[in-house]
Amino acid sequence: MQEDAHLAALLCAPAAAAPFDRLEWWRGLVEECGYFPVIAVARDGNERAALAFYRVKRRMEALANWYSFRVAPIVSPGADRVALLSELAADLAGQAPHITLSPLPDEQGETAGLAASFRRAGWLVFIEPCDVNHVLHVRGRRYAEYLATRPGQLRTTLKRKGAKVAVTIETTFNPESWAAYEAIYASSWKPEEGNPAFLRRFAQEEGAAGRLRLGIARADGVPVAAQFWTVEHGTAFIHKLAHTEESKPLSPGTTLSAALFEHVIDRDGVDLVDFGTGNDGYKRDWMEEVRPRFRLEAVRPLWPGNWPIIARHCLRKLAPRPSRG
């Protein structure tokens, strides 16, 4: 990749539209999480299409983990997307007989387009929903206008408890604040952090680039809630949030969320807030749209190891659907 200037430009900020499209993200997954990467690239003159994978025995899966909101092909603006992705899918036949991509969006036809390209190259393709993505389209509103549309219980909580914690929002990486975030997370209801070294590295990179928004809520000077957001290209991404169990009666997470929404809407002027994957109930209080995420499984039909996979999907299609009666 270092020898391909056109690909490097495509995968580096400011060209990338989101953290998950950048070479730094992929490097972090490889160096901190131990994945063995395969970067598939199709070329047409100066135009490129790329998909990142890692190997699992004979299979290849999208280079992603639980921190990835989505995976998607990276294609040069203005390129013949169909031709490049079809070429890429054909080349992948020599790399692995079984490929899995997840979680895929389809707002711009990403899933449908990939499925068509793989089928054109002789793959059998199976698609199924695998997750959801909660988002907020700001649509030019100021924070006060947006807040007025939130559920009454949420607004009441902010009025009653908003003054019980002090909030700070940092846009550069501060080791002390990050240590506070890690301590809060460890004392929260959340499961053990999947890969803290990867997350810290990402926060440091985003802080250096000016994209970090790290919020800390303190009660009597003690950190009790933390949230890790980033902002770029008109989108705010909510990566992590947590509060200590002992602070729950103060609702510090609600107050901190409100402060961060106000910051990204009124100061950063974002058009979209992306709450990532997962159907947690608290996301519905802040978000206004739920988008599906998909799992695409592509298999070479003549490889015997794929026959049980093909049979399973075929049987699933034949299974009777439950009655709604």
Side-chain angles (χ1 to χ4, degrees):
M1 282 189 296
Q2 293 177 350
E3 299 176 358
D4 190 332
H6 299 292
L7 180 61
L10 185 62
L11 298 180
C12 293
F20 329 106
D21 301 333
R22 275 198 295 277
L23 192 57
E24 290 91 341
W25 182 268
W26 297 351
R27 281 179 176 151
L29 289 172
V30 171
E31 295 173 8
E32 304 296 343
C33 304
Y35 293 129
F36 182 79
V38 176
I39 311 300
V41 182
R43 300 172 174 84
D44 181 12
N46 294 337
E47 297 171 343
R48 301 287 184 270
L51 271 170
F53 299 92
Y54 70 96
R55 291 193 180 277
V56 183
K57 298 180 180 179
R58 295 292 302 274
R59 190 171 78 252
M60 291 203 310
E61 297 193 7
L63 186 58
N65 68 358
W66 49 89
Y67 299 123
S68 303
F69 289 20
R70 59 159 176 76
V71 299
I74 314 301
V75 184
S76 300
D80 186 336
R81 189 180 185 91
V82 173
L84 283 172
L85 291 179
S86 296
E87 178 186 337
L88 191 150
D91 289 344
L92 283 169
Q95 292 291 326
H98 182 188
I99 286 174
T100 303
L101 291 163
S102 173
L104 279 168
D106 202 38
E107 291 82 51
Q108 305 298 323
E110 296 93 340
T111 299
L114 273 173
S117 296
F118 273 95
R119 287 173 178 139
R120 194 175 291 112
W123 296 78
L124 283 181
V125 178
F126 304 99
I127 298 171
E128 58 187 1
C130 67
D131 213 329
V132 295
N133 168 230
H134 287 260
V135 295
L136 167 72
H137 292 276
V138 179
R139 297 189 175 92
R141 289 172 289 183
R142 301 292 292 175
Y143 169 74
E145 296 174 284
Y146 156 72
L147 183 62
T149 67
R150 296 303 87 209
Q153 184 177 355
L154 174 64
R155 289 183 282 115
T156 298
T157 298
L158 287 172
K159 288 179 181 178
R160 291 178 53 242
K161 301 183 179 181
K164 295 187 177 183
V165 294
V167 170
T168 58
I169 298 173
E170 300 178 12
T171 59
T172 58
F173 185 84
N174 180 333
E176 292 183 3
S177 297
W178 190 255
Y181 158 76
E182 291 184 323
I184 291 165
Y185 191 92
S187 300
S188 74
W189 77 100
K190 295 292 188 81
E192 183 179 354
E193 187 66 79
N195 194 303
F198 172 86
L199 200 63
R200 180 188 175 94
R201 171 177 171 157
F202 174 53
Q204 288 176 307
E205 291 171 347
E206 295 300 281
R211 296 186 291 259
L212 177 68
R213 305 293 181 267
L214 182 67
I216 305 287
R218 293 175 172 85
D220 297 325
V222 178
V224 293
Q227 296 189 19
F228 171 27
W229 297 31
T230 61
V231 172
E232 62 181 296
H233 297 294
T235 298
F237 299 92
I238 307 176
H239 298 278
K240 302 290 290 187
L241 73 172
H243 62 261
T244 63
E245 285 292 336
E246 295 79 7
S247 68
K248 189 173 181 180
L250 301 176
S251 300
T254 301
T255 300
L256 185 55
S257 290
L260 280 157
F261 272 96
E262 182 177 22
H263 188 104
V264 301
I265 292 173
D266 286 354
R267 299 190 191 185
D268 294 316
V270 302
D271 302 310
L272 182 74
V273 182
D274 190 331
F275 219 144
T277 55
N279 204 23
D280 308 275
Y282 58 81
K283 294 183 178 182
R284 291 189 286 273
D285 288 342
W286 299 100
M287 302 286 102
E288 294 178 347
E289 182 181 342
V290 182
R291 309 188 297 195
R293 290 293 174 258
F294 298 95
R295 182 176 187 268
L296 182 152
E297 199 166 8
V299 298
R300 303 303 294 181
L302 297 182
W303 190 59
N306 284 334
W307 294 347
I309 299 169
I310 296 169
R312 184 180 74 245
H313 282 284
C314 290
L315 288 172
R316 191 177 298 171
K317 287 185 178 181
L318 293 173
R321 297 183 179 182
S323 173
R324 296 185 179 182

